[in-house]
Amino acid sequence: MSAVQVDTMSVHQPQAVYKTSIGKKIIMAITGITFVGFITGHMLGNLQIFLGQDRLNAYAEALQGLGALLWFIRAFLLAFIALHIIFAIILYFENRSSRPIRNVRVHNIESSLASRTKIFSGLLIFFFVTYHLLHFTLIVTNPEYAALKDSLGRHDVYSMMILGFQNYIISGVYILAILSLSFHLSHSVFSLFQTLGLNNAAWVPRLRMISNIFAVLIFIGYVSIPVGILFNLAKLPEGGLL
Amino acid sequence: MNVTLYIWRQKNAHAKGKMEKYEARDLSPNMSFLEMLDVVNEDLITQGVEPIHFDHDCREGICGACSLVINGRPHGKQHATTTCELRMRHFKDGDTIYVEPFRAKAFPIVKDLTVDRGAMDRIMQAGGFVSVNTGGMPDANAIPISKKDSDTAMDAAACIGCGACVAACPNASAMLFVAAKVSHLAYLPQGKVEAKKRVQAIVSQMDKEGFGNCTNHLECEAACPKEISVKFIAKMNREYMRSSVVSK
């Protein structure tokens, strides 16, 4: 073998990862996978509303009991939301400018309306999350929720959710938001696996199917809460509010 | 057979272009799409009109020179077929056909349907090769390569660099092309030596050329006349991540 390896590929200073097109995708995928985890956990946690007031309020108190860890998780999620949005906007404008003049005829085959409109479904999700936090977490829009306590003196998250979703407008907005979330997710799960390189020819169709199934499950899971409340499957505690 | 054509006409790189209508008459269904354009051009020349400019070379589906977005699809609707291999029998008598260039900021229009795909050549120059410094031809089978790797590398190497993936991509991204080149060499021992450097160099050049970012729409794979799989994009993402982690 030759003793000296002369390098003909230009000496190359690697670009900062977040500046390259693949790096930006990876940031979208890693932040995205965190949201997939959060969305799943948040749904499973709140579905406990159908197990009764005690169960849900105990769960809520346990979460609050995490103390500093809870704030760490919240800060982490907010930072990831910011990153996901910033890079989505950068990618959106870069991708728009990469074809200044469009063809008269465009025939899409594999892409879906969901995959092509993620920036818009994402924006809707962002507006909803902002409202959702003001509504249930920070209790700004409906300050009367703050006084709700159950018989054990815990913050009565159960009654708060029921009061919230008994309002048709709030439930309607919530269902539309979950619809755009599911729309977004129908392409997201496949996309993040592909971006992280966890894919091969056999898994392309499987992951696309999994992505769609996941989106449907998330839709059913979340929408069952306002629908269940509106159909009285979960009702205010007997004997009224304390 | 007769067809009505709407074709993008643009005098030069700086002129404003527009779609113009042409009637193509008395065509044989066995003509290729490019032969049909040749007939239209013969007619235009006899009328003293500037003929339609389009790229072509081998006309047997292997060189990657022909392009054209036909009715919104790069290389037309026939699966795994280049424009030169597309036959008029794939259309119906009386059809209206829209013919437009492969559009991307990185593919500036030279004239009419001819675009400058030099960006892809510069990507190849940045890393689409194996450095062989000296020596004679190595003995056959001196470097063992598994059948699986050799087949996969060959599948990636089928890319003819036509740019249909860029034209099909809603973001005008060149990821499928670049991924095919990176993967082709990364699966072979000769290419592995420079794999880390290659993926960095090639991705950096791709970004410099102004292609869009891949957002996994998969339009590229559907349009590719050589059926290059998006699995190679996943492979390139792996190669890129490995090179970013290991080189630091």
Side-chain angles (χ1 to χ4, degrees), chain A residues 6-8 20-21 94-95 98-99 101 103-105 107-111 115 187 191 194-197, chain B residues 72-73 100 103 105 131 133 166-167 169 171 197 206-207 213-217 219 230 237-238 240-241:
Chain A
V6 181
D7 196 359
T8 53
T20 68
S21 54
E94 282 183 0
N95 290 345
S98 63
R99 182 175 288 128
I101 300 175
N103 277 343
V104 176
R105 281 292 161 102
H107 184 104
N108 291 307
I109 303 161
E110 289 294 327
S111 64
S115 77
H187 178 254
S191 190
Q194 168 76 359
T195 295
L196 296 175
Chain B
R73 296 172 65 163
E100 298 173 81
R103 261 189 228 282
K105 187 171 74 185
S131 305
N133 302 307
V166 177
C169 179
N171 310 329
K197 212 180 296 173
M206 169 179 84
D207 290 347
N213 305 284
C214 171
T215 52
N216 305 322
H217 289 299
E219 291 293 348
V230 291
N237 293 342
R238 291 199 291 278
Y240 175 81
M241 282 186 273

Side-chain angles (χ1 to χ4, degrees), chain A residues 2 4-26 90-91 94-95 97-112 115-118 187 190-201 204 208, chain B residues 8 19 69 71-73 98 100-101 103-106 126-127 129 131-134 166-172 175 193-194 197-198 200-201 203-204 206-207 210-219 222 229-231 233-238 240-241 244 247-248:
Chain A
S2 63
V4 184
Q5 171 74 37
V6 181
D7 196 359
T8 53
M9 202 170 288
S10 64
V11 178
H12 184 77
Q13 200 60 40
Q15 280 230 291
V17 173
Y18 67 91
K19 283 186 183 158
T20 68
S21 54
I22 301 182
K24 289 173 211 156
K25 277 163 62 109
I26 291 169
I90 293 173
L91 288 167
E94 282 183 0
N95 290 345
S97 75
S98 63
R99 182 175 288 128
I101 300 175
R102 294 184 177 260
N103 277 343
V104 176
R105 281 292 161 102
V106 178
H107 184 104
N108 291 307
I109 303 161
E110 289 294 327
S111 64
S112 60
S115 77
R116 293 190 303 269
T117 55
K118 280 175 100 177
H187 178 254
F190 160 74
S191 190
L192 72 89
F193 277 93
Q194 168 76 359
T195 295
L196 296 175
L198 304 168
N199 203 1
N200 62 30
V204 171
R208 294 178 93 184
Chain B
W8 183 261
M19 298 298 281
V69 173
N71 287 337
R73 296 172 65 163
Y98 287 77
E100 298 173 81
R103 261 189 228 282
K105 187 171 74 185
F129 56 86
S131 305
V132 177
N133 302 307
T134 185
V166 177
C169 179
N171 310 329
M175 281 283 277
V193 181
E194 296 166 297
K197 212 180 296 173
R198 172 178 306 107
Q200 289 286 340
V203 168
S204 154
M206 169 179 84
D207 290 347
F211 290 105
N213 305 284
C214 171
T215 52
N216 305 322
H217 289 299
L218 310 194
E219 291 293 348
S229 165
V230 291
K231 75 178 178 187
I233 296 183
K235 165 77 173 167
M236 174 162 75
N237 293 342
R238 291 199 291 278
Y240 175 81
M241 282 186 273
S244 299
S247 69
K248 276 175 190 161

Side-chain angles (χ1 to χ4, degrees), chain B residues 170-218:
Chain B
N171 310 329
S173 165
M175 281 283 277
L176 191 64
F177 163 72
V178 176
K181 301 306 167 192
V182 166
S183 304
H184 160 208
L185 297 172
Y187 276 111
L188 300 174
Q190 295 92 332
K192 275 189 180 137
V193 181
E194 296 166 297
K196 287 189 196 108
K197 212 180 296 173
R198 172 178 306 107
V199 69
Q200 289 286 340
I202 217 165
V203 168
S204 154
Q205 187 64 34
M206 169 179 84
D207 290 347
K208 225 180 278 172
E209 296 292 348
F211 290 105
N213 305 284
C214 171
T215 52
N216 305 322
H217 289 299
L218 310 194

Side-chain angles (χ1 to χ4, degrees), chain A residues 24-85:
Chain A
K24 289 173 211 156
K25 277 163 62 109
I26 291 169
I27 290 169
M28 293 305 283
I30 290 174
T31 51
I33 205 167
T34 313
F35 304 146
V36 167
F38 172 79
I39 286 162
T40 311
H42 186 59
M43 181 183 77
L44 295 175
N46 287 348
L47 279 175
Q48 294 178 78
I49 191 166
F50 295 115
L51 301 177
Q53 183 188 27
D54 182 54
R55 184 69 180 265
L56 187 71
N57 287 354
Y59 165 70
E61 199 181 51
L63 280 186
Q64 289 296 333
L66 294 174
L69 180 64
L70 180 68
W71 282 103
F72 175 76
I73 293 170
R74 283 172 170 170
F76 181 76
L77 282 169
L78 283 177
F80 267 29
I81 289 173
L83 274 179
H84 198 78
I85 293 174

Side-chain angles (χ1 to χ4, degrees), chain B residues 36-122:
Chain B
M36 179 275 291
L37 288 178
D38 291 337
V39 169
V40 172
N41 274 345
E42 285 297 331
D43 200 34
L44 291 179
I45 291 164
T46 54
Q47 291 171 39
V49 179
E50 177 80 11
I52 301 151
H53 286 242
F54 58 89
D55 272 324
H56 61 98
D57 191 15
C58 76
R59 299 208 181 199
E60 55 184 21
I62 56 169
C63 76
C66 63
S67 58
L68 309 185
V69 173
I70 302 164
N71 287 337
R73 296 172 65 163
H75 294 300
K77 66 174 175 182
Q78 203 65 15
H79 178 67
T81 304
T82 53
T83 295
C84 63
E85 292 281 89
L86 181 69
R87 304 287 148 176
M88 290 314 291
R89 60 176 166 269
H90 297 133
F91 297 89
K92 288 197 289 288
D93 189 28
D95 268 0
T96 299
I97 307 170
Y98 287 77
V99 190
E100 298 173 81
F102 277 7
R103 261 189 228 282
K105 187 171 74 185
F107 290 169
I109 290 181
V110 177
K111 191 180 172 104
D112 298 339
L113 302 168
T114 301
V115 298
D116 178 0
R117 285 170 281 181
M120 299 178 104
D121 295 330
R122 291 187 290 276

Side-chain angles (χ1 to χ4, degrees), chain A residues 121-140:
Chain A
S121 53
L123 266 176
L124 287 177
I125 296 164
F126 172 70
F127 291 136
F128 169 72
V129 167
T130 309
Y131 167 70
H132 195 58
L133 289 176
L134 292 173
H135 183 214
F136 282 143
T137 309
L138 302 171
I139 315 189
V140 172

